[in-house]
Amino acid sequence: MTGNASQQEHLPFDTLSDRWQSLRALRPVHYDEQQSAWQVVDHESVAAVLADPATFSSDFSSVAPTQEDFEVFRQGNFVGMDPPEHRKLRTLVSQAFTPRVVSGLQPRIENVCGRLLDDVADRDRFDLVDTLAYPLPIIVIAELLGIPAADHRLFQEWAATLFGGDELGEAPNMDDLARALKAIAPTVREMNGYVLDHIRRCRETPGNDLTSKLLAAEVDGVRLEDQEIVGFVALLLVAGHVTTTALLGNAVVTFDRHPGTLPALRADPGRLPDAIEEVLRWLPPFAELGRRATRPVVIGEHELPAGAMVVAHLGAANRDPSRFAAPDVFEPTRSPNPHLTFGHGIHFCFGAPLARLEARIALRMLLERFSDLRVPAYGEVTFQNPGVIVGVRQLPVEVARS
Ligand code: HEM
């Protein structure tokens, strides 16, 4: 890939980088009046907050706006649970989603990537999100769950509605959230009904898919309720789809804006895993995680009251100079790279091995298929609402084949 002038344009990603830098310049822990929340920005404090679920709860059910259709999703949605409920669900799901299941997906992911890229075999310009980054993770998750191929498009449509984030501002408050939940309620209801039917089908005729395995998994003699499985499917969609889409788009944009990266990776594809970790550090798809203090607690020099809202800034922690040399430089060979993009502690991302596998396969295949891959016009690139997810929405690319 060669450089072009538009690489220098100021993009929303640069605004985020500036924000993470300026957050760092403030004290590591401070109160934000506008968000009515404590902001935690340094690596050590962010990791400490995420490592202590007894003090910093992930359960917002008592304070978040409620929406009837959403209640069904809460049950298996263990990212919003604290111990001991969290452990039960996570352990059950881990039985079905083992490292062997994930590594066994490699040939299938290669096959899906190949097929998606075949669709643009005669084009020298296409949208990378529509072609690859959006459909790949959803096809992988839907297949994993045993959803028939004919219905994958439904999942793509639902995901687009659920994660559009158009109703939300960049710093959404509870009213914005309540409005957004109401807007997506019909989609949630439709998806809930579909997944319940799918569960019933798997109960009648179990297959080798994750849904059938979840139905059979047990911890201490207890199985998952159907509703818990629906909640887990929703969680997979939320956590596993848009994040991976974002990672792929962020990688292509970041490589494009750092000329020399793609030629170096093409010359030595063994460097790809480190480069992907650096993209994860540089642009974490979830830049902020919310927690709620369960008791009065001291962080740094501040005493937070019980009930205080806490925002753990992964984006800022990933640029902490006490953990990363030259944190504001994108360094694709950086190693070790203790970024916090997949979280930390008991909620550490469950799908990190799958996200990494998909990114390695998809990016390797792009390197193999195209001798050049560039973003010709940043004016045509559109971005997600960074208050929801750090990623691109549309990413037109230009390719050459040797
Ligand atoms: C949790 C990020 C991909 C499933 C998390 C958390 C983060 C995260 C930050 C912790 C949330 C918290 O502590 O509140 C990401 C990123 C991804 C990605 C950046 C891609 C680049 C995936 C994939 C899957 C997945 C592919 C599933 C197939 C989950 C689940 C949890 C989770 C189930 C909840 C774990 C728990 O609460 O114990 N993810 N994720 N994620 N992620 Fe991911």
Side-chain angles (χ1 to χ4, degrees):
M1 187 164 45
T2 42
N4 67 64
S6 61
Q7 284 155 350
Q8 309 315 324
E9 274 177 38
H10 195 83
L11 305 183
F13 286 163
D14 303 317
T15 310
L16 279 172
S17 287
D18 295 347
R19 176 166 144 71
W20 295 329
Q21 270 182 42
S22 58
L23 272 172
R24 238 173 43 206
L26 297 168
R27 274 164 307 163
V29 178
H30 60 274
Y31 188 72
D32 182 297
E33 298 280 348
Q34 214 185 341
Q35 275 195 11
S36 311
W38 289 87
Q39 314 290 312
V40 180
V41 302
D42 67 299
H43 193 283
E44 190 183 342
S45 307
V46 168
V49 164
L50 300 180
D52 183 0
T55 309
F56 298 102
S57 166
S58 293
D59 182 355
F60 287 85
S61 53
S62 60
V63 286
T66 50
Q67 218 301 326
E68 201 189 327
D69 296 294
F70 247 83
E71 286 309 308
V72 294
F73 274 7
R74 280 200 214 270
Q75 294 184 37
N77 204 330
F78 54 86
V79 75
M81 288 178 190
D82 296 330
E85 291 79 14
H86 171 267
R87 190 194 72 89
K88 183 197 113 181
L89 266 290
R90 181 149 174 152
T91 310
L92 270 167
V93 173
S94 310
Q95 289 177 15
F97 196 75
T98 58
R100 193 204 278 215
V101 168
V102 174
S103 59
L105 290 172
Q106 176 156 349
R108 186 58 196 143
I109 298 173
E110 286 168 351
N111 186 285
V112 173
C113 275
R115 202 164 40 80
L116 292 170
L117 289 175
D118 286 348
D119 288 346
V120 290
D122 56 351
R123 312 244 307 264
D124 54 14
R125 248 178 176 249
F126 57 88
D127 191 287
L128 191 98
V129 175
D130 290 347
T131 305
L132 181 69
Y134 190 82
L136 172 67
I138 203 138
I139 292 172
V140 171
I141 291 173
E143 282 192 356
L144 197 62
L145 292 164
I147 305 289
D151 295 342
H152 290 180
R153 222 169 40 83
L154 277 177
F155 272 68
Q156 296 197 27
E157 285 167 16
W158 290 331
T161 312
L162 297 183
F163 312 119
D166 291 336
E167 308 81 4
L168 295 174
E170 288 193 16
N173 60 26
M174 287 297 180
D175 288 344
D176 296 329
L177 283 177
R179 233 189 354 266
L181 287 186
K182 200 163 175 206
I184 62 180
T187 304
V188 170
R189 206 174 308 138
E190 192 182 327
M191 198 175 121
N192 182 28
Y194 178 94
V195 177
L196 271 177
D197 284 347
H198 174 62
I199 290 169
R200 289 194 191 111
R201 279 196 301 272
C202 291
R203 217 184 263 296
E204 279 161 25
T205 330
N208 197 23
D209 53 87
L210 187 60
T211 315
S212 302
K213 287 181 188 153
L214 283 171
L215 286 166
E218 276 187 17
V219 165
D220 306 333
V222 179
R223 293 193 175 188
L224 288 170
E225 304 281 337
D226 286 2
Q227 276 305 342
E228 290 174 320
I229 299 181
V230 174
F232 177 65
V233 170
L235 174 59
L236 278 190
L237 266 181
V238 177
H241 174 216
V242 279
T243 46
T244 311
T245 300
L247 168 59
L248 293 173
N250 293 352
V252 169
V253 167
T254 307
F255 295 162
D256 184 64
R257 299 184 87 209
H258 294 85
T261 311
L262 270 186
L265 292 173
R266 193 168 283 115
D268 182 0
R271 292 181 176 185
L272 203 44
D274 281 346
I276 292 169
E277 293 309 301
E278 181 66 346
V279 172
L280 285 162
R281 181 187 77 88
W282 191 244
L283 292 171
F286 291 144
E288 301 172 10
L289 298 180
R291 294 292 191 265
R292 192 175 50 83
T294 56
R295 59 174 179 87
V297 56
V298 174
I299 327 185
E301 46 199 40
H302 302 278
E303 178 161 343
L304 280 54
M309 295 296 173
V310 176
V311 179
H313 284 273
L314 307 186
N318 283 352
R319 307 280 181 107
D320 185 335
S322 72
R323 289 311 297 268
F324 301 96
D328 298 312
V329 176
F330 175 77
E331 176 43 80
T333 57
R334 189 185 291 275
S335 178
N337 193 336
H339 65 74
L340 293 173
T341 297
F342 288 120
H344 181 69
I346 63 163
H347 291 285
F348 181 83
C349 179
F350 192 81
L354 177 58
R356 287 177 165 133
L357 183 65
E358 289 182 48
R360 284 175 197 177
I361 293 173
L363 294 168
R364 178 172 49 76
M365 219 168 249
L366 288 174
L367 288 172
E368 284 167 3
R369 291 226 176 174
F370 308 118
S371 55
D372 193 22
L373 169 74
R374 69 172 76 197
V375 182
Y378 275 95
E380 293 171 14
V381 180
T382 59
F383 293 81
Q384 299 281 8
N385 176 350
V388 180
I389 195 142
V390 177
V392 290
R393 198 180 280 240
Q394 298 283 280
L395 181 56
V397 293
E398 202 170 83
V399 295
R401 298 167 182 84
S402 47

